[in-house]
Amino acid sequence: MTDKIQIRRIEQEMKESYLNYAMSVIVGRALPDVKDGLKPVHRRILYAMKELGLFHNKPHRKSARIVGDTLGKFHPHGDLAVYESLVRMAQDFSLRYPLVNGHGNFGSIDGDSPAAQRYTEAKLSKIAEELLKDIEKDTVPFTPNFDDSLTEPVVLPARLPNLLVNGSTGIAVGMATNMPPHNLTEIVDAIVAQIENPEIKIEELLNFVKGPDFPTGAQILGTSGIRKAYKTGIGSIKIRAVCEVEDKKIIVSEIPYQVNKTTLIENIANLVRDKKVLGIADIRDESDRRGMRIVLILKKDSNPELILNQLYRHTQLETTFGIRNLALLDKQPKIHTLKQLIENFILHRKDVIAKRTKFDLNKAETRAHILLGLKKALENIDAVVKTIKGSKTVEVAKQQLISKFELSKEQSISILEMKLQKLTSLETDKIKKEYESLLKLIEELKIILEDERKIYNIIKKELKELKEKYGDERKTKIIDVEEEIEDEDLIKKENVVVTITHKGYVKRLPIDTYRQQNRGGKGIKATGTREEDFVEDILTTNTHDYLLFFSNLGKVYWSKAYSIPSGSRYAKGTNLINLLRLSNDERIKAIIPVSQFKETWYLNMVTKKGLIKKTSLKEYSRPRKGGIISINLKEKDSLIDVILTKDGEELVIASKNGLAVRFSEKQIRPVGRNSMGVRAIRLVKDEVIGVDIAKDSLLTITENGYGKRTDINDYRLINRGGKGVINIKTSSRNGKVVGICSVNKGDDLIFVTKKGILIRTQAKNISKIGRNTQGVRIMKLSEGDKVISIAKVIN
């Protein structure tokens, strides 16, 4: 009979066949399971070694035997692939915590190949046994092997959080995973923290998990890539070798993860030969059993720092590790955040412990049932013996025991199989004690199964035991770094204007970009802005000055002025999130240019609710890329402005509704960085808009472009915390106050509007009049435009 021919479109057939192949590779070969962190080949090797009895306290066995058993029983693929997988699990430069204890040549960090499998020997490492523990207690599902002759585990019980501590790499079809290893101590602390607080945020987990911890050590540059990878599951980090300069030598003691030492040395030699790196006279590899030591001997007049920077740029002394936390969850590939990886491990362990407890409970109940029968028999031993002796067959004896003494079938069999030595008083006591202890155990196991908190406590206890047994110090250091170091001597010292828009775009321009105009002029375009964006802050500084960026959340960030990208007058600039590590709801409220960090100079921070805090500038002299806390804020308060002062100066603080208060800085006691402020001005349905040092006259500008200068003596000196006096009338013509600036007659001023229009003029062009007045037009605005900031030009 001829088979019926099916007609199908070739596109559909190819699509389905390729998808089947892809899923087979994804699930069956290339990706680890999120529960035990193992790919099928690694799981099968470890299980095969366990079946062979190759525990850490047993002798090694030939690798060929292990490969043969794995191939013949569980993994019908090439023997070379299985051996390579076995070798990698034994390499202490590949796995942070090796799972195989190898004996013989298992390769080296120089790229040397391992010896053939017939020469090497292996057994399970002690920590690998933590992955297999309790597997015999029905804790994990088993599935038939490739020929249905045996069964193999779908996943291992994995008391060790293997995926997190050892990581994984693999290329599937259309996707790849690249998960870094971590320090066991840190991971255990993070898992325990998440068990204790299931709602814990990733930011809090970062207090425990500092970052990847590679077996080869080295250094991770910065934390932004780490944070992104932990929050999203995808990110990249820079890894740099550990290098020291001593006696005209550069000593390399640790290299980045997965870098071949021989290839690295050859690469450096080629760069020296091609004169791309100058100043290296000789290269020596002095590595031995005690550790790595690559020695670069430098020429007499060479600059070690310059050479190092060139080597970091052109060789694998500095590499990038692309993190991609892709793992199988219920046989589906999924990108995981740090929190999700921990959650899935906890859920797996919870399931394993519940099944283990049920297994132990069933076993205990079965044994207690048998012991109860033995106990009954011993209590009625004469009658039992008489019954057995009077029975013609074993079957009759069994039935007689069941009926006469109310025993079960299992109990009667156990009595019939009991040895005569059990009749001694000592053995009888043992049976009673064992029975009593089993009853207690059964009660405990039932309590565990009824209360999941008990299960979580067991998970924590076992993890802490792991930490105690295998925990160690970090090998990889994480260092805070600035962006690539530039030679400041090559950067011209000049005054520049720095502008920041409402949406966080920043740029710098030469000061002479803006020509002077008389008051009342229309101004010129200050910056190109996106729709609904506008310039919010402007300042003048020197290219070599530090810029301290203060955010509304009370944090401070550092940057050199020359690090701010330059742009044309019409360019929108670069977003601050590319320069500073700002959170989603964080905005820069003040920028302080600093040429030197003097201890006798102070930063005075003013909040929207009228608080002020004074801290020595010296407290902010150590730049950190991630920023630090500058002031502790109360709920619903935010940082409005910051002013740099010398001790004993007088300050003026102005409010949105046109009030101002003048008081001496000496009334504010200096406090540390991580402190709150004191009351500066008493507000009633109002808020602070700015602060400045009281000098000569105070210039006030309103949102509708009106303003004035007022003699500073018109503001009487009062105690800190007063309500203040009228500064300017906030009539419908003027609108609310948007800025103040303490000025002298010859000062240059820059005003900026919401639409990005800028006018530069001298203070002498603005009328000097009394406090309780409306002022004059300073800037002519187009319809719908508002003034939003003021800055004084530094000449």
PDB file of all heavy atoms in Angstrom, residues 618-643:
ATOM      1  N   LYS A 618      35.810  71.297  52.129  1.00  0.00           N
ATOM      2  CA  LYS A 618      36.790  70.209  52.195  1.00  0.00           C
ATOM      3  C   LYS A 618      36.114  68.837  52.244  1.00  0.00           C
ATOM      4  O   LYS A 618      36.661  67.838  51.788  1.00  0.00           O
ATOM      5  CB  LYS A 618      37.655  70.395  53.452  1.00  0.00           C
ATOM      6  CG  LYS A 618      38.861  69.466  53.540  1.00  0.00           C
ATOM      7  CD  LYS A 618      39.964  69.895  52.596  1.00  0.00           C
ATOM      8  CE  LYS A 618      41.222  69.053  52.807  1.00  0.00           C
ATOM      9  NZ  LYS A 618      42.255  69.378  51.820  1.00  0.00           N
ATOM     10  N   GLU A 619      34.886  68.800  52.786  1.00  0.00           N
ATOM     11  CA  GLU A 619      34.136  67.539  52.890  1.00  0.00           C
ATOM     12  C   GLU A 619      33.795  66.958  51.512  1.00  0.00           C
ATOM     13  O   GLU A 619      33.419  65.799  51.394  1.00  0.00           O
ATOM     14  CB  GLU A 619      32.838  67.758  53.673  1.00  0.00           C
ATOM     15  CG  GLU A 619      33.052  68.174  55.114  1.00  0.00           C
ATOM     16  CD  GLU A 619      32.850  67.037  56.084  1.00  0.00           C
ATOM     17  OE1 GLU A 619      32.678  65.894  55.621  1.00  0.00           O
ATOM     18  OE2 GLU A 619      32.889  67.295  57.288  1.00  0.00           O
ATOM     19  N   TYR A 620      33.917  67.784  50.468  1.00  0.00           N
ATOM     20  CA  TYR A 620      33.521  67.355  49.122  1.00  0.00           C
ATOM     21  C   TYR A 620      34.729  67.256  48.188  1.00  0.00           C
ATOM     22  O   TYR A 620      34.601  67.375  46.980  1.00  0.00           O
ATOM     23  CB  TYR A 620      32.492  68.335  48.547  1.00  0.00           C
ATOM     24  CG  TYR A 620      31.252  68.451  49.388  1.00  0.00           C
ATOM     25  CD1 TYR A 620      31.166  69.398  50.401  1.00  0.00           C
ATOM     26  CD2 TYR A 620      30.182  67.590  49.201  1.00  0.00           C
ATOM     27  CE1 TYR A 620      30.036  69.489  51.211  1.00  0.00           C
ATOM     28  CE2 TYR A 620      29.046  67.673  49.996  1.00  0.00           C
ATOM     29  CZ  TYR A 620      28.985  68.622  51.000  1.00  0.00           C
ATOM     30  OH  TYR A 620      27.865  68.701  51.784  1.00  0.00           O
ATOM     31  N   SER A 621      35.917  67.038  48.780  1.00  0.00           N
ATOM     32  CA  SER A 621      37.148  67.075  47.989  1.00  0.00           C
ATOM     33  C   SER A 621      37.522  65.737  47.369  1.00  0.00           C
ATOM     34  O   SER A 621      38.515  65.652  46.655  1.00  0.00           O
ATOM     35  CB  SER A 621      38.310  67.560  48.867  1.00  0.00           C
ATOM     36  OG  SER A 621      38.499  66.686  49.964  1.00  0.00           O
ATOM     37  N   ARG A 622      36.749  64.698  47.644  1.00  0.00           N
ATOM     38  CA  ARG A 622      37.067  63.385  47.082  1.00  0.00           C
ATOM     39  C   ARG A 622      35.993  62.979  46.086  1.00  0.00           C
ATOM     40  O   ARG A 622      34.954  62.445  46.470  1.00  0.00           O
ATOM     41  CB  ARG A 622      37.180  62.332  48.189  1.00  0.00           C
ATOM     42  CG  ARG A 622      38.361  62.576  49.116  1.00  0.00           C
ATOM     43  CD  ARG A 622      38.495  61.467  50.118  1.00  0.00           C
ATOM     44  NE  ARG A 622      39.644  61.665  50.982  1.00  0.00           N
ATOM     45  CZ  ARG A 622      39.988  60.868  51.978  1.00  0.00           C
ATOM     46  NH1 ARG A 622      39.251  59.793  52.225  1.00  0.00           N
ATOM     47  NH2 ARG A 622      41.037  61.099  52.733  1.00  0.00           N
ATOM     48  N   PRO A 623      36.224  63.223  44.819  1.00  0.00           N
ATOM     49  CA  PRO A 623      35.195  62.928  43.802  1.00  0.00           C
ATOM     50  C   PRO A 623      34.843  61.448  43.759  1.00  0.00           C
ATOM     51  O   PRO A 623      35.704  60.583  43.842  1.00  0.00           O
ATOM     52  CB  PRO A 623      35.863  63.364  42.493  1.00  0.00           C
ATOM     53  CG  PRO A 623      36.960  64.289  42.899  1.00  0.00           C
ATOM     54  CD  PRO A 623      37.429  63.823  44.231  1.00  0.00           C
ATOM     55  N   ARG A 624      33.545  61.187  43.625  1.00  0.00           N
ATOM     56  CA  ARG A 624      33.059  59.820  43.417  1.00  0.00           C
ATOM     57  C   ARG A 624      32.104  59.837  42.249  1.00  0.00           C
ATOM     58  O   ARG A 624      31.200  60.677  42.189  1.00  0.00           O
ATOM     59  CB  ARG A 624      32.323  59.302  44.658  1.00  0.00           C
ATOM     60  CG  ARG A 624      33.235  59.083  45.847  1.00  0.00           C
ATOM     61  CD  ARG A 624      32.483  58.414  46.966  1.00  0.00           C
ATOM     62  NE  ARG A 624      33.150  58.599  48.245  1.00  0.00           N
ATOM     63  CZ  ARG A 624      32.595  58.335  49.411  1.00  0.00           C
ATOM     64  NH1 ARG A 624      31.358  57.891  49.461  1.00  0.00           N
ATOM     65  NH2 ARG A 624      33.245  58.518  50.535  1.00  0.00           N
ATOM     66  N   LYS A 625      32.309  58.913  41.346  1.00  0.00           N
ATOM     67  CA  LYS A 625      31.503  58.896  40.117  1.00  0.00           C
ATOM     68  C   LYS A 625      30.016  58.742  40.408  1.00  0.00           C
ATOM     69  O   LYS A 625      29.174  59.325  39.737  1.00  0.00           O
ATOM     70  CB  LYS A 625      31.973  57.745  39.215  1.00  0.00           C
ATOM     71  CG  LYS A 625      31.448  57.822  37.806  1.00  0.00           C
ATOM     72  CD  LYS A 625      32.082  58.970  37.045  1.00  0.00           C
ATOM     73  CE  LYS A 625      31.584  59.019  35.614  1.00  0.00           C
ATOM     74  NZ  LYS A 625      32.057  60.183  34.909  1.00  0.00           N
ATOM     75  N   GLY A 626      29.687  57.953  41.430  1.00  0.00           N
ATOM     76  CA  GLY A 626      28.279  57.701  41.728  1.00  0.00           C
ATOM     77  C   GLY A 626      27.629  58.767  42.587  1.00  0.00           C
ATOM     78  O   GLY A 626      26.454  58.650  42.917  1.00  0.00           O
ATOM     79  N   GLY A 627      28.392  59.821  42.981  1.00  0.00           N
ATOM     80  CA  GLY A 627      27.821  60.867  43.802  1.00  0.00           C
ATOM     81  C   GLY A 627      27.706  60.466  45.266  1.00  0.00           C
ATOM     82  O   GLY A 627      27.849  59.293  45.622  1.00  0.00           O
ATOM     83  N   ILE A 628      27.482  61.469  46.134  1.00  0.00           N
ATOM     84  CA  ILE A 628      27.326  61.222  47.561  1.00  0.00           C
ATOM     85  C   ILE A 628      26.199  62.097  48.100  1.00  0.00           C
ATOM     86  O   ILE A 628      25.777  63.055  47.454  1.00  0.00           O
ATOM     87  CB  ILE A 628      28.622  61.506  48.346  1.00  0.00           C
ATOM     88  CG1 ILE A 628      29.074  62.970  48.121  1.00  0.00           C
ATOM     89  CG2 ILE A 628      29.712  60.537  47.989  1.00  0.00           C
ATOM     90  CD1 ILE A 628      30.254  63.379  48.964  1.00  0.00           C
ATOM     91  N   ILE A 629      25.726  61.796  49.318  1.00  0.00           N
ATOM     92  CA  ILE A 629      24.697  62.604  49.959  1.00  0.00           C
ATOM     93  C   ILE A 629      25.304  63.934  50.384  1.00  0.00           C
ATOM     94  O   ILE A 629      26.347  63.967  51.041  1.00  0.00           O
ATOM     95  CB  ILE A 629      24.119  61.872  51.202  1.00  0.00           C
ATOM     96  CG1 ILE A 629      23.395  60.592  50.775  1.00  0.00           C
ATOM     97  CG2 ILE A 629      23.170  62.784  51.976  1.00  0.00           C
ATOM     98  CD1 ILE A 629      22.143  60.823  49.987  1.00  0.00           C
ATOM     99  N   SER A 630      24.648  65.042  50.029  1.00  0.00           N
ATOM    100  CA  SER A 630      25.126  66.360  50.451  1.00  0.00           C
ATOM    101  C   SER A 630      24.272  66.928  51.570  1.00  0.00           C
ATOM    102  O   SER A 630      24.742  67.712  52.388  1.00  0.00           O
ATOM    103  CB  SER A 630      25.135  67.329  49.262  1.00  0.00           C
ATOM    104  OG  SER A 630      23.821  67.515  48.762  1.00  0.00           O
ATOM    105  N   ILE A 631      22.995  66.555  51.638  1.00  0.00           N
ATOM    106  CA  ILE A 631      22.096  67.019  52.692  1.00  0.00           C
ATOM    107  C   ILE A 631      20.981  66.001  52.856  1.00  0.00           C
ATOM    108  O   ILE A 631      20.489  65.428  51.886  1.00  0.00           O
ATOM    109  CB  ILE A 631      21.508  68.425  52.361  1.00  0.00           C
ATOM    110  CG1 ILE A 631      20.602  68.907  53.501  1.00  0.00           C
ATOM    111  CG2 ILE A 631      20.778  68.421  51.033  1.00  0.00           C
ATOM    112  CD1 ILE A 631      20.129  70.342  53.329  1.00  0.00           C
ATOM    113  N   ASN A 632      20.595  65.751  54.105  1.00  0.00           N
ATOM    114  CA  ASN A 632      19.456  64.875  54.386  1.00  0.00           C
ATOM    115  C   ASN A 632      18.184  65.694  54.336  1.00  0.00           C
ATOM    116  O   ASN A 632      18.049  66.693  55.057  1.00  0.00           O
ATOM    117  CB  ASN A 632      19.606  64.235  55.775  1.00  0.00           C
ATOM    118  CG  ASN A 632      20.060  62.797  55.675  1.00  0.00           C
ATOM    119  OD1 ASN A 632      19.775  62.124  54.695  1.00  0.00           O
ATOM    120  ND2 ASN A 632      20.774  62.320  56.671  1.00  0.00           N
ATOM    121  N   LEU A 633      17.256  65.320  53.496  1.00  0.00           N
ATOM    122  CA  LEU A 633      16.043  66.102  53.278  1.00  0.00           C
ATOM    123  C   LEU A 633      14.850  65.497  53.998  1.00  0.00           C
ATOM    124  O   LEU A 633      14.718  64.275  54.083  1.00  0.00           O
ATOM    125  CB  LEU A 633      15.744  66.186  51.774  1.00  0.00           C
ATOM    126  CG  LEU A 633      16.781  66.915  50.925  1.00  0.00           C
ATOM    127  CD1 LEU A 633      16.500  66.678  49.449  1.00  0.00           C
ATOM    128  CD2 LEU A 633      16.787  68.406  51.228  1.00  0.00           C
ATOM    129  N   LYS A 634      13.965  66.379  54.478  1.00  0.00           N
ATOM    130  CA  LYS A 634      12.714  65.928  55.064  1.00  0.00           C
ATOM    131  C   LYS A 634      11.756  65.536  53.944  1.00  0.00           C
ATOM    132  O   LYS A 634      11.961  65.874  52.776  1.00  0.00           O
ATOM    133  CB  LYS A 634      12.092  67.047  55.911  1.00  0.00           C
ATOM    134  CG  LYS A 634      12.852  67.345  57.194  1.00  0.00           C
ATOM    135  CD  LYS A 634      12.118  68.403  58.022  1.00  0.00           C
ATOM    136  CE  LYS A 634      12.846  68.672  59.330  1.00  0.00           C
ATOM    137  NZ  LYS A 634      12.159  69.714  60.129  1.00  0.00           N
ATOM    138  N   GLU A 635      10.666  64.871  54.317  1.00  0.00           N
ATOM    139  CA  GLU A 635       9.677  64.431  53.335  1.00  0.00           C
ATOM    140  C   GLU A 635       9.082  65.622  52.599  1.00  0.00           C
ATOM    141  O   GLU A 635       8.779  66.660  53.194  1.00  0.00           O
ATOM    142  CB  GLU A 635       8.573  63.641  54.036  1.00  0.00           C
ATOM    143  CG  GLU A 635       7.623  62.943  53.080  1.00  0.00           C
ATOM    144  CD  GLU A 635       6.596  62.124  53.826  1.00  0.00           C
ATOM    145  OE1 GLU A 635       6.696  62.038  55.065  1.00  0.00           O
ATOM    146  OE2 GLU A 635       5.694  61.588  53.160  1.00  0.00           O
ATOM    147  N   LYS A 636       8.929  65.501  51.291  1.00  0.00           N
ATOM    148  CA  LYS A 636       8.337  66.511  50.402  1.00  0.00           C
ATOM    149  C   LYS A 636       9.176  67.780  50.286  1.00  0.00           C
ATOM    150  O   LYS A 636       8.721  68.782  49.746  1.00  0.00           O
ATOM    151  CB  LYS A 636       6.912  66.871  50.842  1.00  0.00           C
ATOM    152  CG  LYS A 636       5.927  65.714  50.730  1.00  0.00           C
ATOM    153  CD  LYS A 636       4.528  66.124  51.128  1.00  0.00           C
ATOM    154  CE  LYS A 636       3.559  64.950  51.012  1.00  0.00           C
ATOM    155  NZ  LYS A 636       2.194  65.305  51.434  1.00  0.00           N
ATOM    156  N   ASP A 637      10.415  67.749  50.795  1.00  0.00           N
ATOM    157  CA  ASP A 637      11.315  68.887  50.636  1.00  0.00           C
ATOM    158  C   ASP A 637      12.320  68.561  49.538  1.00  0.00           C
ATOM    159  O   ASP A 637      12.527  67.403  49.191  1.00  0.00           O
ATOM    160  CB  ASP A 637      12.044  69.176  51.939  1.00  0.00           C
ATOM    161  CG  ASP A 637      12.566  70.608  52.003  1.00  0.00           C
ATOM    162  OD1 ASP A 637      12.309  71.372  51.048  1.00  0.00           O
ATOM    163  OD2 ASP A 637      13.233  70.964  52.991  1.00  0.00           O
ATOM    164  N   SER A 638      12.942  69.582  48.981  1.00  0.00           N
ATOM    165  CA  SER A 638      13.952  69.364  47.945  1.00  0.00           C
ATOM    166  C   SER A 638      14.987  70.480  48.002  1.00  0.00           C
ATOM    167  O   SER A 638      14.717  71.573  48.510  1.00  0.00           O
ATOM    168  CB  SER A 638      13.307  69.320  46.555  1.00  0.00           C
ATOM    169  OG  SER A 638      12.684  70.554  46.254  1.00  0.00           O
ATOM    170  N   LEU A 639      16.171  70.187  47.502  1.00  0.00           N
ATOM    171  CA  LEU A 639      17.241  71.180  47.466  1.00  0.00           C
ATOM    172  C   LEU A 639      16.966  72.182  46.350  1.00  0.00           C
ATOM    173  O   LEU A 639      16.670  71.798  45.221  1.00  0.00           O
ATOM    174  CB  LEU A 639      18.584  70.480  47.238  1.00  0.00           C
ATOM    175  CG  LEU A 639      19.835  71.354  47.330  1.00  0.00           C
ATOM    176  CD1 LEU A 639      20.004  71.899  48.741  1.00  0.00           C
ATOM    177  CD2 LEU A 639      21.064  70.552  46.933  1.00  0.00           C
ATOM    178  N   ILE A 640      17.039  73.488  46.681  1.00  0.00           N
ATOM    179  CA  ILE A 640      16.740  74.544  45.709  1.00  0.00           C
ATOM    180  C   ILE A 640      17.996  75.217  45.178  1.00  0.00           C
ATOM    181  O   ILE A 640      18.159  75.433  43.990  1.00  0.00           O
ATOM    182  CB  ILE A 640      15.813  75.607  46.348  1.00  0.00           C
ATOM    183  CG1 ILE A 640      14.434  75.018  46.561  1.00  0.00           C
ATOM    184  CG2 ILE A 640      15.733  76.869  45.503  1.00  0.00           C
ATOM    185  CD1 ILE A 640      13.716  74.630  45.286  1.00  0.00           C
ATOM    186  N   ASP A 641      18.930  75.552  46.084  1.00  0.00           N
ATOM    187  CA  ASP A 641      20.103  76.311  45.664  1.00  0.00           C
ATOM    188  C   ASP A 641      21.247  76.045  46.619  1.00  0.00           C
ATOM    189  O   ASP A 641      21.046  75.653  47.774  1.00  0.00           O
ATOM    190  CB  ASP A 641      19.784  77.810  45.636  1.00  0.00           C
ATOM    191  CG  ASP A 641      20.642  78.563  44.625  1.00  0.00           C
ATOM    192  OD1 ASP A 641      21.560  77.945  44.037  1.00  0.00           O
ATOM    193  OD2 ASP A 641      20.411  79.767  44.433  1.00  0.00           O
ATOM    194  N   VAL A 642      22.481  76.267  46.121  1.00  0.00           N
ATOM    195  CA  VAL A 642      23.689  76.110  46.921  1.00  0.00           C
ATOM    196  C   VAL A 642      24.596  77.292  46.639  1.00  0.00           C
ATOM    197  O   VAL A 642      24.731  77.723  45.488  1.00  0.00           O
ATOM    198  CB  VAL A 642      24.414  74.789  46.580  1.00  0.00           C
ATOM    199  CG1 VAL A 642      25.648  74.609  47.447  1.00  0.00           C
ATOM    200  CG2 VAL A 642      23.484  73.600  46.729  1.00  0.00           C
ATOM    201  N   ILE A 643      25.210  77.843  47.697  1.00  0.00           N
ATOM    202  CA  ILE A 643      26.106  78.993  47.524  1.00  0.00           C
ATOM    203  C   ILE A 643      27.425  78.700  48.232  1.00  0.00           C
ATOM    204  O   ILE A 643      27.451  78.099  49.307  1.00  0.00           O
ATOM    205  CB  ILE A 643      25.461  80.292  48.074  1.00  0.00           C
ATOM    206  CG1 ILE A 643      26.229  81.512  47.598  1.00  0.00           C
ATOM    207  CG2 ILE A 643      25.339  80.273  49.577  1.00  0.00           C
ATOM    208  CD1 ILE A 643      25.908  81.907  46.198  1.00  0.00           C
TER     209      ILE A 643
END
